[in-house]
Amino acid sequence: MMASEPVARAVAEEVGRWGSMKQTGVSLRYMMEFGSVPTDRNLLLSAQFLHKELPIRIARRALDLESLPFGLSAKPAILKVRDWYLDSFRDIRYFPEVRNRDDELAFTQMIKMIKVRHNNVVPTMALGVQQLKNEQFSSRKLPPGFDEIHEFLDRFYMSRIGIRMLIGQHVALHDPEPEPGVIGLINTKLSPIQVAQIASEDARSICMREYGSAPDINIYGDRNFTFPYVASHLHLMLFELVKNSLRAVQERYMDSDKDVPPVRIIVADGTEDVTIKVSDEGGGIRRSGLPRIFTYLYSTAKNLPDIEGPSEGVTMAGYGFGLPVSRLYAQYFGGDLQIISMEGYGTDAYLHLSRLGDSEEPLP
């Protein structure tokens, strides 16, 4: 639906005004303390905070999307994403003040819908960047100034993780029967081995679907060990790393009569970090290619998936956004992701996760 000119102008002015306001960071410790008693009053306070905070964050992203270099802002896929942000901004701004429990429940339904609307932001943005790459940069070398797009995407996705964490946390606090130790999205007793098992099964089933077979995955570590973390974030990162390893091993051994080596996952519980290593013998990555694996344009896939198809369809090879986005998820809570490669042998991915709990640092 096309808004009439004056309405569009009014919304643009509002977006400009809200986008220049300062956002308020929320620390994880606050989220955990506040969420551990999800009384009606706390949920009301949370909704009132989001009613003011989300328009600032969403407006900033909409403004960012308008001024990208190399004409990226004009690409149809990017315009589509910008429309999603403008629609969400409008939905929240035109929602009346949240005063009581009924308002709060209606507000929660609305932001839940907003989160769904933005589900496909990453692949859609990837498509826009891909369109740009195909038109302008046929060579393997990226032009000077492309760093600017990379920095923009890092900022954009980091902020998206923050917005989805705020919405997801508020929505999850409405769960009438949360599992023991679960506060919204945060599981205070998360078993990394269990998440690794689920992520491995998911990645193996996609590998089976694509290649007809899949390497084994061996998981090592203390099965009783738990730590506080967001299960969906850990699953997303491990799924991506395991999928990459399975693909590398599968492609290396496809026409070989040698035994296919397993992918290994090792979970280590340190005093500062929990570290998970995903280790494969898939042939590794050239040293000259290593700096590129965290840029948003590096994909080893031959044919890119079609964005217009059904959403959520995951394939073994993506748009080259998997690793940089996974690293942002790790960095969001103060962790990191490192890739060490031995060309001719295999790759080790080290996922460093900060123990969530006492951090007073405001999250992005």
Side-chain angles (χ1 to χ4, degrees):
M1 77 183 180
M2 284 301 293
S4 64
E5 272 306 305
V7 173
R9 203 171 307 128
V11 170
E13 279 170 19
E14 276 276 88
V15 168
R17 195 165 70 82
W18 280 81
S20 62
M21 294 182 196
K22 198 169 165 359
Q23 67 175 52
T24 306
V26 181
S27 78
L28 196 78
R29 183 173 185 172
Y30 179 77
M31 266 191 210
M32 284 168 76
E33 284 174 3
F34 185 86
S36 57
V37 272
T39 55
D40 285 354
R41 183 173 174 275
N42 271 359
L43 291 172
L44 188 64
L45 288 170
S46 170
Q48 288 166 343
F49 167 72
L50 292 179
H51 198 196
K52 294 191 177 66
E53 181 64 18
L54 290 173
I56 298 174
R57 296 186 179 214
I58 289 171
R60 286 183 160 193
R61 301 291 71 82
L63 291 170
D64 267 356
L65 287 166
E66 283 171 15
S67 51
L68 298 175
F70 301 111
L72 184 57
S73 293
K75 293 278 164 281
I78 305 295
L79 289 169
K80 189 174 184 179
V81 173
R82 198 184 118 227
D83 283 346
W84 290 337
Y85 277 85
L86 291 174
D87 288 347
S88 298
F89 175 80
R90 227 183 274 133
D91 287 349
I92 300 175
R93 281 296 297 127
Y94 291 150
F95 194 91
E97 208 180 324
V98 182
R99 294 198 169 131
N100 54 40
R101 184 162 186 233
D102 287 346
D103 295 351
E104 190 276 321
L105 290 172
F107 179 80
T108 301
Q109 271 313 109
M110 178 205 46
I111 60 175
K112 203 170 169 178
M113 290 303 297
I114 286 176
K115 191 163 180 261
V116 171
R117 173 187 289 149
H118 292 249
N119 274 350
N120 279 340
V121 162
V122 175
T124 311
M125 292 287 292
L127 185 71
V129 173
Q130 203 59 45
Q131 289 165 344
L132 178 76
K133 182 186 176 191
N134 296 344
E135 280 167 31
Q136 301 205 8
F137 322 128
S138 45
S139 74
R140 294 292 282 172
K141 254 181 87 57
L142 292 181
F146 206 87
D147 295 354
E148 207 184 320
I149 287 184
H150 178 81
E151 282 159 23
F152 154 74
L153 287 168
D154 265 354
R155 254 198 339 270
F156 187 84
Y157 289 134
M158 190 58 108
S159 162
R160 176 176 183 268
I161 295 169
I163 291 170
R164 293 179 82 77
M165 183 72 199
L166 288 176
I167 294 177
Q169 183 67 7
H170 179 83
V171 170
L173 288 175
H174 288 75
D175 181 354
E177 292 174 0
E179 283 180 43
V182 172
I183 303 170
L185 295 179
I186 304 154
N187 185 344
T188 60
K189 295 189 167 60
L190 185 66
S191 158
I193 296 258
Q194 203 179 352
V195 178
Q197 281 168 333
I198 297 166
S200 296
E201 283 163 25
D202 292 349
R204 273 194 95 230
S205 69
I206 283 170
C207 188
M208 292 294 270
R209 196 176 72 205
E210 211 131 310
Y211 295 105
S213 64
D216 285 338
I217 299 170
N218 299 339
I219 302 174
Y220 305 90
D222 176 0
R223 302 200 169 272
N224 298 319
F225 164 63
T226 63
F227 77 121
Y229 208 76
V230 176
S232 56
H233 289 194
L234 184 55
H235 182 280
L236 178 143
M237 296 183 279
L238 283 177
F239 173 76
E240 187 60 39
L241 295 174
V242 172
K243 187 173 66 115
N244 288 349
S245 284
L246 289 174
R247 188 169 127 240
V249 172
Q250 191 64 33
E251 301 216 330
R252 189 180 189 202
Y253 284 87
M254 219 154 32
D255 305 317
S256 150
D257 42 15
K258 293 194 180 114
D259 285 347
V260 179
V263 170
R264 293 184 176 82
I265 301 175
I266 298 134
V267 176
D269 154 27
T271 30
E272 188 177 313
D273 282 347
V274 173
T275 304
I276 303 177
K277 176 166 85 163
V278 178
S279 191
D280 70 58
E281 294 174 36
I285 300 160
R286 284 185 205 153
R287 197 156 53 97
S288 60
L290 269 176
R292 282 216 310 271
I293 61 174
F294 285 112
T295 63
Y296 288 96
L297 284 181
Y298 181 75
S299 173
T300 48
K302 306 292 175 281
N303 307 317
L304 284 167
D306 170 28
I307 193 67
E308 295 302 339
S311 64
E312 301 312 313
V314 181
T315 56
M316 285 301 279
Y319 294 91
F321 275 46
L323 280 177
V325 169
S326 296
R327 182 166 68 173
L328 291 176
Y329 271 94
Q331 290 170 343
Y332 178 74
F333 287 125
D336 206 1
L337 169 60
Q338 290 171 311
I339 305 282
I340 314 268
S341 170
M342 287 173 72
E343 193 194 358
Y345 181 74
T347 304
D348 290 343
Y350 291 88
L351 187 55
H352 301 284
L353 306 170
S354 295
R355 294 169 170 280
L356 307 190
D358 295 330
S359 173
E360 297 284 1
E361 281 292 298
L363 294 164

